[in-house]
Amino acid sequence: MEHITVNPWASLAYLVAGVCFILALRGLSSPATSQRGNRMGIIGMTIAVVTTLVTHVPTIQLVAVGTTGGEDFVAFFSHVDTVTVVEILAAIALGGVIGLVTARRIAMTDMPQLVAAFHSLVGMAAVLVACAAFLNPGAFGIAEQGVIFVQSRIEMGLGVAIGAITFSGSVIAFLKLNGNMGGKPILLPGRHVINLAVLAGILGLVAYFTLDQSAWVFWTITLLSFVIGFLLIVPIGGADMPVVVSMLNSYSGWAAAAMGFTLHNTAMIITGALVGSSGAILSYIMCKAMNRSFISVIAGGFGGDAAAAGGEAKEQRPWKRGSADDAAFLLGQAEQVIIVPGYGMAVSQAQHALREMGDKLKAHGVRVKYAIHPVAGRMPGHMNVLLAEANVPYDDVFELEDINSEFAQTDIAFVIGANDVTNPAAKTDKTSPIYGMPVLDVEKAKTVLFIKRSMGGVGYAGVDNDVFYMDNTMMLLGDAKKMVEEIVKSLD
């Protein structure tokens, strides 16, 4: 394949795609504009894919066809390898069908592990591209007489390292989120020393790779990167998984950017940088919301030095149990109700019934608001997505810092499956794995109605919640969706 000057129209198309991606991120910053943001992202990706196919699939030959008026006219004749085109279109069709079927079948409760699985695919793609470039650098235009350019070795080394870390880390996150591994941190002896040693080894080998492109250097970088991805995620506890998902999202972006450098693809560099930087910013915001150290997140050491408690409540203390009729009576008498959704709402798919309950309370003159904790659920924005799916008005949804002060003046805090993010132990118990994490002050409301499947279990962090046993709390035990539907009937 004869190399020619980059087509300016392709550069322009990639620029337009990059603008679309930026607008997509801007749209996704608010539930009210999220659909528009998704559409802009789809448009940008379509432009990038089509441009890449048009400019890279044909074998271009530059032919001067004549002169007129002293000016040369140049025509580009493309000889297209039909087999290559068929293979590419078949791969696109297969991936599209798999994505469509998966998106239509996946439950919202499984969305976090789906995101983790997607991140692992991006990481593995980066690894495979780097491996292909190392094995056949001439095909990528990054070598002369078999000697890979120094800058390409740097890109290749970092690309395969980031990709491998993203892959193995995402696989562990998927297993934890999917229940194949326990939610408790798995703490290896001397893990910090091991992690630092492996990371230092990877960076040292990447530097050495610029001097010596021996195969053992490249494959050792790849192997160590797979290992450190595993080591970084296994010590992280269940309560911190939303931050892990966000962090892996950032890693996948940088892996994509690394692929872009290897493939000389501007669109991938732009897209990867946007995803990587936005994921890093989101991780920082979530760490701040959880009172975690961003540096410790990157180092994989924030899962807690003490393993979370087991999956059962430790104490048998007196508590009050109520019924749907009791809850409906109290709700109907209230002036203001703050609803706090959590993962239990997602599991039972109770968001539609919850919105119906909110509408009926509003019809009775009750002020209804929704309080969202930044890490409620299993991924960033999990509760916002569910409430938006149920057409809950965006103006009724408030973040923790905007609504926490209102609980003291609220008649009822209606908690539906949100445990760790409402646990006051985060403010008082220094031995708790969630200590220091800002939580919703539901216990300050006049009455707390707490929907929970049973009193036997605890939250994902493995910590019992003192709110269950407070005098102003009424426990509503059972499936969240069925309980809310019964409350709606009682309100009628």
Side-chain angles (χ1 to χ4, degrees):
M1 180 176 181
E2 185 176 349
H3 296 284
I4 62 173
T5 304
V6 176
N7 189 334
W9 292 106
S11 299
L12 179 60
Y14 285 147
L15 177 61
V16 173
V19 172
C20 288
F21 295 143
I22 294 172
L23 293 176
L25 288 175
R26 177 67 181 88
L28 292 173
S29 63
S30 168
T33 58
S34 59
Q35 290 185 342
R36 185 173 67 221
N38 272 319
R39 284 194 292 268
M40 294 304 299
I42 292 171
I43 292 171
M45 186 55 66
T46 301
I47 294 173
V49 170
V50 171
T51 302
T52 301
L53 291 176
V54 170
T55 56
H56 287 74
V57 171
T59 300
I60 306 296
Q61 294 178 337
L62 181 61
V63 182
V65 297
T67 59
T68 301
E71 295 182 355
D72 290 336
F73 285 88
V74 179
F76 293 90
F77 294 94
S78 301
H79 171 66
V80 181
D81 188 337
T82 304
V83 176
T84 302
V85 174
V86 171
E87 290 174 346
I88 291 175
L89 293 179
I92 292 175
L94 179 61
V97 170
I98 293 174
L100 179 63
V101 172
T102 302
R104 295 179 72 90
R105 290 186 177 181
I106 197 73
M108 282 303 301
T109 50
D110 296 331
M111 192 61 67
Q113 48 263 50
L114 177 65
V115 172
F118 282 162
H119 290 163
S120 72
L121 295 179
V122 176
M124 181 52 70
V127 172
L128 294 177
V129 168
C131 292
F134 177 74
L135 295 173
N136 190 8
F140 291 79
I142 59 173
E144 281 187 0
Q145 298 179 346
V147 179
I148 302 174
F149 301 137
V150 173
Q151 66 269 25
S152 297
R153 292 188 216 174
I154 297 173
E155 297 163 4
M156 192 183 304
L158 293 176
V160 74
I162 298 172
I165 292 171
T166 303
F167 173 78
S168 56
S170 297
V171 169
I172 298 301
F174 172 86
L175 294 175
K176 282 178 173 280
L177 290 166
N178 204 44
N180 303 105
M181 291 181 66
K184 294 192 297 182
I186 300 175
L187 306 179
L188 301 177
R191 69 186 189 280
H192 296 300
V193 175
I194 295 173
N195 290 351
L196 288 174
V198 176
L199 286 171
I202 292 172
L203 293 175
L205 286 171
V206 170
Y208 182 71
F209 190 51
T210 62
L211 304 175
D212 182 359
Q213 67 178 53
S214 298
W216 73 267
V217 181
F218 178 81
W219 297 117
T220 303
I221 293 172
T222 305
L223 177 61
L224 289 178
S225 299
F226 279 124
V227 171
I228 194 61
F230 170 83
L231 294 175
L232 288 174
I233 304 302
V234 290
I236 297 175
D240 297 321
M241 288 311 294
V243 184
V244 173
V245 173
S246 174
M247 180 179 65
L248 291 171
N249 177 60
S250 178
Y251 288 174
S252 70
W254 298 123
M259 282 194 293
F261 281 107
T262 301
L263 297 173
H264 307 291
N265 189 291
T266 307
M268 291 187 68
I269 297 172
I270 294 173
T271 306
L274 287 173
V275 174
S277 57
S278 61
I281 293 171
L282 178 60
S283 298
Y284 174 78
I285 292 173
M286 296 186 70
C287 288
K288 187 176 180 181
M290 297 179 68
N291 196 30
R292 305 294 192 193
S293 166
F294 185 67
I295 300 300
S296 64
V297 172
I298 298 174
F302 71 112
D305 288 325
E312 298 295 326
K314 291 183 177 180
E315 300 181 52
Q316 294 296 328
R317 291 185 276 173
W319 52 277
K320 292 187 296 184
R321 180 169 186 171
S323 65
D325 290 336
D326 297 329
F329 175 78
L330 292 172
L331 290 167
Q333 302 298 313
E335 293 184 3
Q336 176 165 294
V337 174
I338 297 180
I339 299 173
V340 181
Y343 188 64
M345 183 193 75
V347 171
S348 64
Q349 291 289 283
Q351 61 269 24
H352 296 281
L354 192 65
R355 191 227 29 176
E356 185 179 359
M357 185 190 80
D359 290 344
K360 288 189 178 295
L361 289 175
K362 290 178 183 178
H364 289 142
V366 181
R367 293 191 304 275
V368 177
K369 298 182 178 181
Y370 296 80
I372 305 295
H373 193 282
V375 295
R378 293 293 180 267
M379 70 176 185
H382 200 177
M383 296 301 105
N384 299 81
V385 171
L386 291 173
L387 295 179
E389 180 190 9
N391 294 319
V392 171
Y394 302 130
D395 293 339
D396 293 347
V397 181
F398 297 86
E399 300 295 333
L400 178 147
E401 62 271 12
D402 298 323
I403 200 170
N404 226 12
S405 61
E406 293 193 31
F407 281 104
Q409 293 81 41
T410 296
D411 297 300
I412 295 178
F414 188 89
V415 185
I416 175 169
N419 191 350
D420 298 328
V421 298
T422 62
N423 195 334
K427 298 178 286 186
T428 59
D429 186 0
K430 293 184 178 181
T431 65
S432 173
I434 62 172
Y435 178 73
M437 181 178 78
V439 293
L440 292 161
D441 298 329
V442 298
E443 76 279 4
K444 295 181 180 180
K446 294 177 182 177
T447 301
V448 180
L449 299 179
F450 208 117
I451 296 182
K452 194 172 182 292
R453 186 172 290 277
S454 70
M455 292 297 293
V458 291
Y460 202 44
V463 185
D464 205 7
N465 193 338
D466 288 338
V467 174
F468 302 159
Y469 313 103
M470 292 182 174
D471 293 336
N472 62 331
T473 298
M474 179 182 291
M475 300 300 298
L476 307 173
L477 302 184
D479 179 79
K481 183 178 181 181
K482 292 180 179 178
M483 179 62 69
V484 176
E485 288 175 343
E486 291 177 10
I487 292 174
V488 171
K489 291 179 181 178
S490 297
L491 286 172
D492 289 336

